[in-house]
Amino acid sequence: MGYCSGRCTLIFICGMQLACVLERQIFDFLGYQWAPILANFVHIIIVILGLFGTIQYRPRYITGYAVWLVLWATWNVFVICFYLEAGDLSKETDLILTFNISMHRSWWMENGPGCTVTSVTPAPDWAPEDHRYITVSGCLLEYQYIEVAHSSLQLLLALAGFVYACYVVKCITEEEDSFDFIGGFDSYGYQGPQKTSHLQLQPMYM
């Protein structure tokens, strides 16, 4: 009963991860955040594999999913530190999330709740010609806190998924070991049908 409950919970967690990361992927695409887009894409693939392994009782798939969740949690901790400007990180000057190929920021920077965007003219000399120079004001919630909330949710789901993935792998392994212990089908002493000869030998009289 506990194994079935843990397996169903892991399926639910995988579904939640897929729904949340797809929503996050949309907004990362809108903000041209290439590093998160790539990480989200890999995460989607591995969560699908983990979901498949859970449904089909494949411990190797679930183990790979659990290992990836450790890396995924590490990535989300980095994103949280980046937006909170921990250490030497700076969300204003570092272009890590766009691979330094554009000056785009999070989509939520201009489109957050209550945000008012004002174009500044003339633009500074250092501003690229194909970019607008703007000021954002009146936001009810700053964009970095929205990004931190997204990463925190992914972090919590990753921790829950890791715990239940380990539990399900443990249950599957124990079930296989107990099956091997009783000998599987060999314990029934099954033997295939043997061929019998219908030829009868008759005595010969000389």
Side-chain angles (χ1 to χ4, degrees), residues 1-59:
M1 183 70 178
Y3 167 49
C4 179
S5 176
R7 181 168 163 266
C8 293
T9 303
L10 182 57
I11 292 174
F12 173 77
I13 292 173
C14 288
M16 287 291 295
Q17 286 179 323
L18 282 176
C20 292
V21 77
L22 286 173
E23 177 266 342
R24 186 180 187 181
Q25 184 77 315
I26 292 172
F27 294 111
D28 285 338
F29 262 116
L30 293 174
Y32 302 97
Q33 304 294 292
W34 302 117
I37 287 170
L38 180 61
N40 294 339
F41 180 73
V42 176
H43 184 59
I44 290 170
I45 293 176
I46 295 182
V47 170
I48 291 174
L49 292 176
L51 184 61
F52 172 80
T54 305
I55 295 173
Q56 297 294 325
Y57 300 92
R58 303 290 181 87

Side-chain angles (χ1 to χ4, degrees), residues 158-179:
L159 293 175
F162 179 82
V163 171
Y164 276 96
C166 293
Y167 174 71
V168 171
V169 169
K170 174 178 176 293
C171 291
I172 294 177
T173 304
E174 289 179 349
E175 187 175 286
E176 291 178 347
D177 290 343
S178 64
F179 185 75

